[in-house]
Protein backbone atom coordinates (compact mmCIF):
# COMPACT_ATOMS: atom_id res chain seq x y z
CA UNK A 1 0.00 0.00 0.00
CA UNK A 2 1.37 3.41 -1.00
CA UNK A 3 2.13 5.78 1.83
CA UNK A 4 1.59 9.50 1.64
CA UNK A 5 1.91 12.46 3.95
CA UNK A 6 -1.02 13.81 5.98
CA UNK A 7 -1.91 17.29 4.75
CA UNK A 8 -2.71 18.36 8.32
CA UNK A 9 0.32 17.22 10.35
CA UNK A 10 2.76 15.83 7.76
CA UNK A 11 2.96 12.33 9.25
CA UNK A 12 3.18 9.33 6.94
CA UNK A 13 -0.17 7.55 6.46
CA UNK A 14 -1.27 4.40 4.68
CA UNK A 15 -4.75 3.88 6.09
CA UNK A 16 -8.07 5.72 5.89
CA UNK A 17 -7.17 8.06 8.76
CA UNK A 18 -3.93 9.60 9.97
CA UNK A 19 -2.81 7.75 13.15
CA UNK A 20 -1.32 10.97 14.54
CA UNK A 21 -4.08 13.59 14.13
CA UNK A 22 -7.08 11.59 12.86
CA UNK A 23 -7.63 13.50 9.60
CA UNK A 24 -8.90 11.46 6.62
CA UNK A 25 -6.19 10.35 4.23
CA UNK A 26 -8.24 11.30 1.14
CA UNK A 27 -8.32 14.99 2.12
CA UNK A 28 -7.54 16.95 -1.04
CA UNK A 29 -7.90 20.35 -2.61
CA UNK A 30 -11.36 21.87 -2.20
CA UNK A 31 -13.37 21.92 -5.43
CA UNK A 32 -16.98 23.03 -6.05
CA UNK A 33 -18.02 19.36 -6.14
CA UNK A 34 -16.20 18.39 -2.94
CA UNK A 35 -17.46 21.52 -1.15
CA UNK A 36 -21.11 20.67 -1.87
CA UNK A 37 -20.91 16.90 -1.54
CA UNK A 38 -18.43 16.54 1.30
CA UNK A 39 -18.38 19.68 3.40
CA UNK A 40 -21.98 20.88 3.14
CA UNK A 41 -24.23 17.88 2.36
CA UNK A 42 -21.90 15.41 4.07
CA UNK A 43 -21.82 17.28 7.37
CA UNK A 44 -25.58 17.87 7.37
CA UNK A 45 -26.31 14.21 6.59
CA UNK A 46 -23.80 12.99 9.21
CA UNK A 47 -25.34 15.14 11.96
CA UNK A 48 -28.96 14.41 10.98
CA UNK A 49 -28.35 10.67 10.60
CA UNK A 50 -26.79 10.41 14.06
CA UNK A 51 -29.50 12.60 15.58
CA UNK A 52 -32.40 10.53 14.25
CA UNK A 53 -30.64 7.22 14.92
CA UNK A 54 -30.08 8.29 18.53
CA UNK A 55 -33.69 9.43 18.81
CA UNK A 56 -34.86 6.03 17.56
CA UNK A 57 -32.79 4.26 20.23
CA UNK A 58 -34.02 6.69 22.91
CA UNK A 59 -37.66 5.88 22.12
CA UNK A 60 -37.47 2.13 21.48
CA UNK A 61 -34.48 0.93 23.52
CA UNK A 62 -33.56 3.68 26.00
CA UNK A 63 -32.09 1.51 28.73
CA UNK A 64 -30.05 -0.60 26.32
CA UNK A 65 -28.75 2.55 24.62
CA UNK A 66 -27.82 4.12 27.97
CA UNK A 67 -25.90 1.01 29.04
CA UNK A 68 -24.09 0.92 25.68
CA UNK A 69 -23.18 4.59 26.13
CA UNK A 70 -21.90 3.94 29.65
CA UNK A 71 -19.83 0.95 28.47
CA UNK A 72 -18.04 3.19 25.93
CA UNK A 73 -20.03 2.63 22.71
CA UNK A 74 -20.59 6.32 22.04
CA UNK A 75 -19.44 7.28 18.57
CA UNK A 76 -22.70 6.19 16.89
CA UNK A 77 -24.83 8.30 19.22
CA UNK A 78 -25.54 12.02 19.18
CA UNK A 79 -24.30 13.92 22.25
CA UNK A 80 -26.93 13.31 24.91
CA UNK A 81 -26.94 16.78 26.42
CA UNK A 82 -27.08 18.45 23.00
CA UNK A 83 -30.02 16.16 22.21
CA UNK A 84 -31.75 17.25 25.42
CA UNK A 85 -31.32 20.94 24.61
CA UNK A 86 -32.54 20.52 21.02
CA UNK A 87 -35.62 18.57 22.09
CA UNK A 88 -36.28 21.10 24.83
CA UNK A 89 -36.04 23.97 22.33
CA UNK A 90 -38.46 22.29 19.94
CA UNK A 91 -40.87 21.68 22.84
CA UNK A 92 -40.85 25.37 23.78
CA UNK A 93 -41.47 26.39 20.16
CA UNK A 94 -44.26 23.83 19.68
CA UNK A 95 -45.99 24.87 22.93
CA UNK A 96 -45.88 28.57 22.05
CA UNK A 97 -47.14 27.78 18.55
CA UNK A 98 -50.04 25.77 20.01
CA UNK A 99 -50.97 28.52 22.47
CA UNK A 100 -50.81 31.16 19.72
CA UNK A 101 -53.17 29.11 17.57
CA UNK A 102 -55.46 28.25 20.47
CA UNK A 103 -55.34 31.11 23.03
CA UNK A 104 -58.63 29.99 24.62
CA UNK A 105 -56.67 27.16 26.25
CA UNK A 106 -54.93 29.64 28.57
CA UNK A 107 -56.99 30.53 31.64
CA UNK A 108 -56.48 34.13 32.73
CA UNK A 109 -55.27 33.11 36.19
CA UNK A 110 -52.63 30.75 34.68
CA UNK A 111 -50.65 33.33 32.71
CA UNK A 112 -48.25 33.96 35.62
CA UNK A 113 -47.50 30.24 35.95
CA UNK A 114 -46.91 29.90 32.20
CA UNK A 115 -44.57 32.91 32.26
CA UNK A 116 -42.65 31.42 35.19
CA UNK A 117 -42.17 28.06 33.49
CA UNK A 118 -41.14 29.77 30.24
CA UNK A 119 -38.46 31.67 32.14
CA UNK A 120 -37.15 28.89 34.38
CA UNK A 121 -37.98 25.77 32.36
CA UNK A 122 -34.31 24.99 31.60
CA UNK A 123 -33.52 25.02 35.31
CA UNK A 124 -36.52 22.80 36.05
CA UNK A 125 -35.47 20.43 33.27
CA UNK A 126 -31.97 19.92 34.61
CA UNK A 127 -33.15 19.61 38.22
CA UNK A 128 -35.09 16.50 37.16
CA UNK A 129 -31.93 14.74 35.93
CA UNK A 130 -30.13 14.56 39.32
CA UNK A 131 -33.43 13.63 41.02
CA UNK A 132 -33.90 10.66 38.67
CA UNK A 133 -30.21 9.75 38.99
CA UNK A 134 -30.16 9.88 42.81
CA UNK A 135 -33.33 7.77 43.06
CA UNK A 136 -31.95 5.15 40.68
CA UNK A 137 -28.52 5.14 42.37
CA UNK A 138 -30.22 4.46 45.71
CA UNK A 139 -32.66 1.81 44.44
CA UNK A 140 -30.56 -0.09 41.87
CA UNK A 141 -27.40 -0.50 43.95
CA UNK A 142 -26.75 -4.04 42.72
CA UNK A 143 -25.79 -2.70 39.28
CA UNK A 144 -22.83 -0.84 40.88
CA UNK A 145 -23.05 2.18 38.61
CA UNK A 146 -21.73 5.48 39.96
CA UNK A 147 -23.86 8.60 40.19
CA UNK A 148 -22.49 10.08 36.95
CA UNK A 149 -23.46 6.90 35.07
CA UNK A 150 -26.97 7.13 36.51
CA UNK A 151 -27.06 10.72 35.21
CA UNK A 152 -26.57 9.27 31.70
CA UNK A 153 -29.55 6.91 32.14
CA UNK A 154 -31.66 9.76 33.53
CA UNK A 155 -30.68 11.97 30.58
CA UNK A 156 -31.74 9.26 28.11
CA UNK A 157 -35.05 8.84 29.97
CA UNK A 158 -35.68 12.59 29.97
CA UNK A 159 -34.83 12.76 26.25
CA UNK A 160 -37.52 10.16 25.61
CA UNK A 161 -40.03 12.13 27.69
CA UNK A 162 -39.22 15.32 25.77
CA UNK A 163 -39.56 13.50 22.44
CA UNK A 164 -43.00 12.20 23.47
CA UNK A 165 -43.98 15.66 24.72
CA UNK A 166 -42.97 17.14 21.38
CA UNK A 167 -45.06 14.55 19.57
CA UNK A 168 -47.98 15.35 21.89
CA UNK A 169 -47.59 19.07 21.12
CA UNK A 170 -47.64 18.39 17.39
CA UNK A 171 -50.72 16.17 17.76
CA UNK A 172 -52.43 18.86 19.87
CA UNK A 173 -51.76 21.43 17.13
CA UNK A 174 -53.35 19.10 14.57
CA UNK A 175 -56.24 18.48 16.99
CA UNK A 176 -57.23 22.16 16.92
CA UNK A 177 -59.10 21.34 13.71
CA UNK A 178 -62.45 19.81 14.70
CA UNK A 179 -62.67 16.91 12.18
CA UNK A 180 -59.62 15.29 13.79
CA UNK A 181 -60.30 16.18 17.41
CA UNK A 182 -61.73 12.79 18.52
CA UNK A 183 -58.83 10.79 17.11
CA UNK A 184 -56.36 13.30 18.51
CA UNK A 185 -57.91 13.05 21.99
CA UNK A 186 -57.35 9.27 21.99
CA UNK A 187 -53.75 9.67 20.82
CA UNK A 188 -53.21 12.38 23.42
CA UNK A 189 -54.31 10.04 26.24
CA UNK A 190 -52.01 7.28 24.95
CA UNK A 191 -49.08 9.70 24.90
CA UNK A 192 -49.83 10.96 28.42
CA UNK A 193 -49.69 7.38 29.77
CA UNK A 194 -46.52 6.78 27.74
CA UNK A 195 -44.92 9.85 29.32
CA UNK A 196 -45.75 8.65 32.81
CA UNK A 197 -44.44 5.15 32.16
CA UNK A 198 -41.35 6.06 30.15
CA UNK A 199 -38.90 6.17 33.12
CA UNK A 200 -40.12 2.67 34.11
CA UNK A 201 -39.61 1.49 30.53
CA UNK A 202 -36.09 2.96 30.53
CA UNK A 203 -34.95 1.28 33.75
CA UNK A 204 -36.70 -1.99 32.90
CA UNK A 205 -34.94 -1.98 29.54
CA UNK A 206 -31.59 -1.25 31.21
CA UNK A 207 -31.73 -3.67 34.16
CA UNK A 208 -34.07 -6.49 33.10
CA UNK A 209 -31.17 -8.97 32.95
CA UNK A 210 -29.86 -7.99 36.40
CA UNK A 211 -33.02 -8.50 38.47
CA UNK A 212 -35.94 -10.90 38.55
CA UNK A 213 -39.20 -9.45 37.23
CA UNK A 214 -40.66 -9.19 40.73
CA UNK A 215 -37.46 -7.62 42.07
CA UNK A 216 -37.43 -5.08 39.28
CA UNK A 217 -41.14 -4.28 39.64
CA UNK A 218 -41.03 -3.49 43.37
CA UNK A 219 -37.93 -1.36 42.85
CA UNK A 220 -39.71 0.58 40.10
CA UNK A 221 -42.70 1.03 42.42
CA UNK A 222 -40.43 2.53 45.10
CA UNK A 223 -38.77 4.65 42.42
CA UNK A 224 -42.15 6.13 41.40
CA UNK A 225 -43.22 6.71 45.01
CA UNK A 226 -40.02 8.66 45.68
CA UNK A 227 -40.37 10.54 42.39
CA UNK A 228 -43.99 11.44 43.19
CA UNK A 229 -43.05 12.79 46.62
CA UNK A 230 -40.18 14.83 45.14
CA UNK A 231 -42.31 16.27 42.33
CA UNK A 232 -45.01 17.26 44.84
CA UNK A 233 -42.35 18.99 46.95
CA UNK A 234 -41.06 20.88 43.88
CA UNK A 235 -44.62 21.91 42.89
CA UNK A 236 -45.31 23.18 46.42
CA UNK A 237 -42.04 25.10 46.39
CA UNK A 238 -42.87 26.66 43.03
CA UNK A 239 -46.38 27.48 44.26
CA UNK A 240 -44.87 29.39 47.20
CA UNK A 241 -42.48 31.23 44.88
CA UNK A 242 -45.33 32.17 42.53
CA UNK A 243 -47.52 33.40 45.34
Amino acid sequence: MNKKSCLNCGHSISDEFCPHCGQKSDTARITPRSLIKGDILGSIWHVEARFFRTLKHVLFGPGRMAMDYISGKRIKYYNLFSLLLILFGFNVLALHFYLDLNPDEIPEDSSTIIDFFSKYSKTILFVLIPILALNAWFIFKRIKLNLAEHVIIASVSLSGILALLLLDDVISIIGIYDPLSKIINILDKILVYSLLLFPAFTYFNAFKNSYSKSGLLWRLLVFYILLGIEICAIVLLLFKILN
Side-chain angles (χ1 to χ4, degrees), residues 79-151:
N79 181 276
L80 287 179
F81 297 99
S82 297
L83 179 68
L84 271 173
L85 289 172
I86 290 169
L87 289 172
F88 173 78
F90 279 126
N91 267 281
V92 172
L93 288 173
L95 178 59
H96 281 292
F97 188 56
Y98 171 73
L99 294 176
D100 286 342
L101 287 175
N102 198 25
D104 294 336
E105 286 288 313
I106 313 174
E108 290 183 9
D109 56 352
S110 298
S111 58
T112 305
I113 297 173
I114 291 170
D115 290 341
F116 178 86
F117 277 97
S118 296
K119 189 175 181 181
Y120 297 107
S121 49
K122 276 189 181 179
T123 305
I124 295 165
L125 170 70
F126 285 103
V127 163
L128 283 173
I129 293 175
I131 288 174
L132 290 171
L134 280 166
N135 288 351
W137 176 76
F138 175 72
I139 292 168
F140 300 106
K141 284 191 173 181
R142 185 192 296 177
I143 309 300
K144 294 183 178 179
L145 297 177
N146 62 42
L147 191 56
E149 289 166 331
H150 277 291
V151 166

Side-chain angles (χ1 to χ4, degrees), residues 39 42 46 50 61 147 150 153 155-156 158 173 189 197 200 202 218:
D39 291 85
H46 178 69
R50 260 206 312 172
L147 191 56
H150 277 291
I153 302 175
S155 300
V156 172
L158 197 55
I173 291 168
K189 288 178 181 177
L197 294 173
T202 301
W218 78 255

Side-chain angles (χ1 to χ4, degrees), residues 23-243:
Q23 180 163 288
K24 292 189 74 172
S25 59
D26 63 356
T27 303
R29 185 179 179 183
I30 296 172
T31 63
R33 184 174 182 273
S34 70
L35 179 67
I36 294 170
K37 183 180 178 182
D39 291 85
I40 299 174
L41 294 179
S43 60
I44 292 171
W45 168 251
H46 178 69
V47 171
E48 284 189 349
R50 260 206 312 172
F51 178 85
F52 287 111
R53 182 169 62 241
T54 304
L55 199 57
K56 182 187 77 172
H57 286 291
V58 163
L59 288 171
F60 299 106
R64 187 167 57 251
M65 174 200 154
M67 296 305 285
D68 279 350
Y69 197 93
I70 289 167
S71 69
K73 300 173 183 177
R74 298 169 195 166
I75 196 166
K76 65 179 179 178
Y77 297 121
Y78 199 78
N79 181 276
L80 287 179
F81 297 99
S82 297
L83 179 68
L84 271 173
L85 289 172
I86 290 169
L87 289 172
F88 173 78
F90 279 126
N91 267 281
V92 172
L93 288 173
L95 178 59
H96 281 292
F97 188 56
Y98 171 73
L99 294 176
D100 286 342
L101 287 175
N102 198 25
D104 294 336
E105 286 288 313
I106 313 174
E108 290 183 9
D109 56 352
S110 298
S111 58
T112 305
I113 297 173
I114 291 170
D115 290 341
F116 178 86
F117 277 97
S118 296
K119 189 175 181 181
Y120 297 107
S121 49
K122 276 189 181 179
T123 305
I124 295 165
L125 170 70
F126 285 103
V127 163
L128 283 173
I129 293 175
I131 288 174
L132 290 171
L134 280 166
N135 288 351
W137 176 76
F138 175 72
I139 292 168
F140 300 106
K141 284 191 173 181
R142 185 192 296 177
I143 309 300
K144 294 183 178 179
L145 297 177
N146 62 42
L147 191 56
E149 289 166 331
H150 277 291
V151 166
I152 295 299
I153 302 175
S155 300
V156 172
S157 183
L158 197 55
S159 295
I161 290 170
L162 286 174
L164 291 172
L165 270 174
L166 180 59
L167 181 59
D168 190 45
D169 287 338
V170 172
I171 285 174
S172 296
I173 291 168
I174 297 170
I176 292 171
Y177 302 99
D178 289 333
L180 298 171
S181 59
K182 289 184 179 179
I183 298 172
I184 295 303
N185 286 336
I186 294 170
L187 291 174
D188 182 63
K189 288 178 181 177
I190 292 171
L191 283 170
V192 168
Y193 285 118
S194 299
L195 286 167
L196 294 172
L197 294 173
F198 197 81
F201 174 53
T202 301
Y203 288 104
F204 184 86
N205 191 236
F207 303 143
K208 62 183 178 182
N209 296 325
S210 302
Y211 294 96
S212 65
K213 284 186 178 179
S214 59
L216 194 52
L217 286 173
W218 78 255
R219 283 174 173 85
L220 286 172
L221 180 61
V222 174
F223 179 87
Y224 269 85
I225 291 170
L226 285 175
L227 188 60
I229 293 169
E230 289 154 353
I231 289 174
C232 287
I234 292 171
V235 169
L236 286 172
L237 180 63
L238 290 176
F239 183 78
K240 286 184 178 180
I241 293 171
L242 287 169
N243 290 279

